Amino acid sequence: MQAVAHYTAYKPRPFTREERQHVTILFGGLTWKHERLIQATMHNLGYNAQPLPNIRRSDLDAGKELIDVGACCPTIFTTGNLVNFLKSEVARRGRDEVVNKYVFLTAGACGPCRFGQYHESYTMALDGLGLRDFRLFLLAQNQLDQGAAAGGGLEINLALSLGLVWAILCADVLTDMEYLTRPYEVVPGQTEEVLRESIEELYEVFRNRPIQGREGNKWKILGWHYLTDYFTDALERVRKKWEAIEVDRLRVKPKVKITGEFWLQTHEGEGNYNMKRWLEQEGAEVIPPPVAVWLDYLLHSPILKLEKRRRHERRARLKIAIIRALEHIFHRTYNRFRQALGGLPYELPDQEELKRLADPYYHYELRGGEGHMLVGKALYAYLHKKAHMICELSPYSCMPNTMSIGAMAQVQGKYPDMLYAPIEVKGDAEIHALSRCQMILTEAKKRAQQEFEQALAETGLTVEAIRAVEARHPELTRSTYRIPHYGYAGTAANYVVHIARKWRRALA
Ligand code: SF4
C-alpha cells in the first residue's frame, strides 16, 4: 500500500548568523535603481545581497508552468523570475550548492489580494523544482522591527528597515529626475549615463552609512536618519551631475501619468510591455509612480480605524499621535530629498485628498491592490492638470483591480473629458495593449499642442523669442532648471508662461 503523504506547511530551515558570510540574500520586485540602493543598505549591514535579474517575458512562461492557473500576472511573473534564476543556478552550481548558498527575501501581506499569497506560489514553485529545502523569508510591509528570522541570520530591525525606506525614497526622486529629463535631452543617452553614475554614487553613500545595526538605541537610529544631512548632501552632489544635461523644453509632449496595480506600475521592463519606455518613444513625457505613495498609504491607513475606536480604546489617541509623527518624518524626509535635487521631483499627493477624491466611487476601507488610490490618483492628476492622460496598468486575474476599474467607469461618466487608458497586461497581448494606448495618446498629443499654442497666444511670445532668451540665459536649458506649474499640464506650455513672467522686460 502506498504511504499517504500528508500536507505540511512550508517552514524554512534556519538561516544562521554564521552563514551570513557565505549565503546571499536574493530579492526583487522594484526597479534596478531601487534594487541597487537596497543592495547597498544590505551590504552596509554586512549581508551578501543580490537582486534577481530584471523580469523577462520568459518568466511568465516559467511561472505558468509551476503555479496555479488562477494566479494574477505579477505573481506569475515574479515566481517565474525566481524559478528561472534558480534553474540556471542549479545547472551551473548543482542543487545542493544553490539551496545552501541562497535565501530569498520577499514582502508579505494579508488581505484580499494575491499579495498575501505570493509566498504560497513561491513554495509551490519550489516543490515543482524539487527545491523544497530552499529558504525563503517574509518581510512584513507594516512592521519596521520584526526581530530575527529563525537562526538569527537575518535581522529585520530599525537599522535595516530605515535604510530600506531611505533607499526607496532616494531611488524615487532620482526616477522622477530621469523621466523629467530624458524626453527633453539634447544629447541622446546622456540622461541614462548620468542616472547610472548617480545611482552608483548613492550606492557608496548607502553602503558607507555610519549605522551598522549594532547600535541598540532605536531613537538614536531614527534621529540620525531624520536629522542629519548625510543623504541630502549626497543628493546635492548628485544634482551637480544633472546640471550637465542640456534639455529642450520647447518639444511639445503629452504628459502621461502611470497608475494601476503596484507591481505593474512600478516595473520597468517586459513585465508591463515596457510601457514607460514605449510611451517615451511614442513622444510622451511619463510621470512615474513613486513607491513612496504606497508606503505613505500603509502608514496613513490605520488612522481611520483608530479614529473609530477612539471612544472605546484608551490608547487610540496616543497611537494616532505616533502615526502622525511618523507621517511627518516621512514627508519631511521626502521633501528634503526633493529640495536637494532642486525641487524638481514631484511632491507626494496628500493621502487625505486621495481619499476624499475617491470617496464617491470607491470606499476607503475596501482593501486590496491599490485600494481607493487608483481612483484617487487618476482624479488628482486630472483635476490638478498634472497630466494630459492617465495610463492605468491592470494585471489580468486581479480581483482588487477589477473592482477599481469598475469604479473608474463611473468616474469617466462624470468626467467624459478625462483621457484614460486602462491597459490589461497579460504578458502575451502586447500589440493589443499598445494599440489601445496609442489611440488615447493621439488625443493627448493634440491636447498638448493646443495648450502650447494657447500659451503662446496668451503671452504673445514666439518660439524664436524664447530661443533668444535661452541664448542669453543658458541656465534655462539645464535639466536642473525648475519650471513651476502654471495650470497647464504640459511642460512646454508651462515653460512658455514661465519665460513670459520671468523675462517679460527682456522680451519687451
Ligand atoms: S493587487 Fe492584484 S495583481 Fe497585485 S498582487 Fe493583488 S491580486 Fe495580484
Side-chain angles (χ1 to χ4, degrees):
M1 208 169 89
Q2 206 181 353
V4 176
H6 290 287
Y7 170 80
T8 48
Y10 172 82
K11 197 166 170 233
R13 277 183 295 130
F15 168 32
T16 64
R17 255 196 112 82
E18 298 68 52
E19 283 182 285
R20 271 192 200 177
Q21 303 303 318
H22 55 267
V23 169
T24 299
I25 298 173
L26 300 170
F27 62 95
L30 297 174
T31 74
W32 68 268
K33 296 153 275 184
H34 294 83
E35 288 167 0
R36 183 71 174 141
L37 300 188
I38 286 173
Q39 186 184 33
T41 303
M42 307 280 282
H43 286 170
N44 165 257
L45 295 174
Y47 295 107
N48 292 313
Q50 179 184 325
L52 288 170
N54 201 17
I55 299 275
R56 304 291 303 268
R57 172 66 179 76
S58 54
D59 295 334
L60 188 74
D61 300 329
K64 273 183 187 164
E65 271 178 35
L66 289 170
I67 66 172
D68 60 272
V69 286
C72 59
C73 117
T75 315
I76 303 177
F77 264 118
T78 51
T79 310
N81 187 228
L82 177 65
V83 164
N84 276 337
F85 178 81
L86 292 178
K87 270 186 182 170
S88 68
E89 285 300 284
V90 167
R92 211 158 64 88
R93 302 168 178 271
R95 181 196 178 286
D96 290 347
E97 198 180 329
V98 169
V99 294
N100 291 324
K101 185 186 161 30
Y102 294 113
V103 300
F104 180 57
L105 180 63
T106 184
C110 61
C113 95
R114 280 267 168 185
F115 197 51
Q117 296 155 13
Y118 268 31
H119 61 287
E120 299 289 351
S121 299
Y122 292 134
T123 53
M124 195 185 272
L126 293 179
D127 280 341
L129 289 174
L131 297 174
R132 178 78 170 182
D133 47 348
F134 177 83
R135 290 166 288 181
L136 63 92
F137 296 96
L138 289 184
L139 175 72
Q141 294 181 89
N142 54 358
Q143 273 176 270
L144 290 176
D145 196 337
Q146 297 163 46
L154 176 65
E155 277 178 77
I156 301 169
N157 53 24
L158 215 54
L160 175 66
S161 301
L162 291 182
L164 297 182
V165 172
W166 262 238
I168 287 171
L169 301 190
C170 280
D172 274 350
V173 288
L174 269 177
T175 300
D176 271 3
M177 291 297 285
E178 171 194 359
Y179 283 90
L180 281 163
T181 308
R182 190 168 43 222
Y184 302 98
E185 67 186 3
V186 171
V187 179
Q190 198 180 1
T191 306
E192 203 70 29
E193 208 177 294
V194 170
L195 177 66
R196 289 199 180 264
E197 278 175 25
S198 306
I199 292 291
E200 282 316 301
E201 174 147 357
L202 288 176
Y203 168 85
E204 295 298 333
V205 168
F206 275 88
R207 198 186 62 169
N208 298 323
R209 181 179 59 145
I211 295 281
Q212 302 300 322
R214 285 184 291 275
E215 298 81 354
N217 189 331
K218 292 177 184 169
W219 290 111
K220 194 174 143 199
I221 296 174
L222 180 61
W224 181 84
H225 281 86
Y226 179 52
L227 296 171
T228 68
D229 294 332
Y230 183 74
F231 296 105
T232 45
D233 286 350
L235 286 168
E236 274 169 22
R237 288 197 300 277
V238 158
R239 183 169 63 89
K240 296 211 166 66
K241 294 181 190 292
W242 289 76
E243 257 165 23
I245 305 178
E246 187 186 347
V247 292
D248 176 8
R249 292 198 178 90
L250 284 177
R251 293 176 187 166
V252 181
K253 289 176 179 285
K255 247 190 206 176
V256 182
K257 166 82 185 148
I258 303 287
T259 66
E261 189 271 341
F262 174 78
W263 182 81
L264 268 191
Q265 63 173 352
T266 309
H267 177 66
E268 294 174 342
E270 293 178 13
N272 61 11
Y273 306 135
N274 245 315
M275 190 56 87
K276 294 174 202 165
R277 278 304 177 106
W278 178 81
L279 281 163
E280 280 191 0
Q281 281 156 15
E282 289 295 308
E285 177 187 339
V286 168
I287 306 179
V291 178
V293 178
W294 175 254
L295 299 179
D296 198 18
Y297 168 63
L298 291 179
L299 197 55
H300 187 78
S301 53
I303 291 183
L304 190 72
K305 265 194 220 151
L306 288 165
E307 297 271 8
K308 287 186 180 166
R309 284 195 233 135
R310 247 185 187 180
R311 281 212 207 128
H312 319 288
E313 194 182 318
R314 225 164 22 100
R315 290 164 64 85
R317 278 172 199 272
L318 176 66
K319 287 183 188 166
I320 292 173
I322 292 171
I323 294 175
R324 294 239 185 256
L326 290 174
E327 277 188 310
H328 173 79
I329 291 173
F330 184 79
H331 279 261
R332 182 175 174 268
T333 302
Y334 198 76
N335 287 331
R336 285 181 75 203
F337 289 179
R338 290 176 54 230
Q339 292 316 320
L341 291 173
L344 273 95
Y346 297 99
E347 72 277 15
L348 290 178
D350 176 24
Q351 286 291 327
E352 282 296 322
E353 185 177 4
L354 292 183
K355 177 178 154 214
R356 184 177 53 73
L357 290 173
D359 197 38
Y361 312 95
Y362 198 100
H363 199 282
Y364 181 72
E365 285 174 282
L366 273 175
R367 303 298 298 270
E370 278 268 298
H372 71 288
M373 284 199 296
L374 190 145
V375 178
K377 283 197 249 177
L379 279 166
Y380 183 88
Y382 173 73
L383 296 172
H384 290 292
K385 289 202 186 301
K386 297 278 184 190
H388 298 99
M389 162 184 163
I390 290 124
C391 173
E392 189 266 298
L393 299 167
S394 306
Y396 77 91
S397 197
C398 169
M399 185 273 281
N401 216 73
T402 308
M403 287 163 56
S404 308
I405 300 296
M408 279 305 295
Q410 202 188 347
V411 174
Q412 280 186 287
K414 177 144 187 219
Y415 301 102
D417 197 34
M418 177 192 274
L419 293 180
Y420 176 63
I423 304 299
E424 193 191 34
V425 179
K426 293 175 73 173
D428 54 3
E430 186 170 354
I431 299 297
H432 178 73
L434 298 184
S435 77
R436 186 183 166 88
C437 196
Q438 204 163 34
M439 285 192 290
I440 317 243
L441 187 63
T442 304
E443 195 52 44
K445 281 182 184 171
K446 281 189 212 155
R447 289 205 189 167
Q449 189 62 37
Q450 280 162 6
E451 256 192 350
F452 180 65
E453 281 160 20
Q454 191 183 331
L456 287 176
E458 272 174 12
T459 56
L461 288 184
T462 60
V463 169
E464 293 70 34
I466 295 171
R467 293 285 186 221
V469 176
E470 284 178 342
R472 289 198 298 277
H473 298 278
E475 71 274 14
L476 284 168
T477 60
R478 300 291 107 197
S479 75
T480 43
Y481 189 90
R482 183 173 169 272
I483 309 298
H485 186 248
Y486 293 103
Y488 284 114
T491 298
N494 282 316
Y495 185 53
V496 170
V497 178
H498 182 65
I499 300 281
R501 292 202 184 176
K502 191 147 186 217
W503 311 100
R504 189 172 296 282
R505 214 177 295 153
L507 287 159

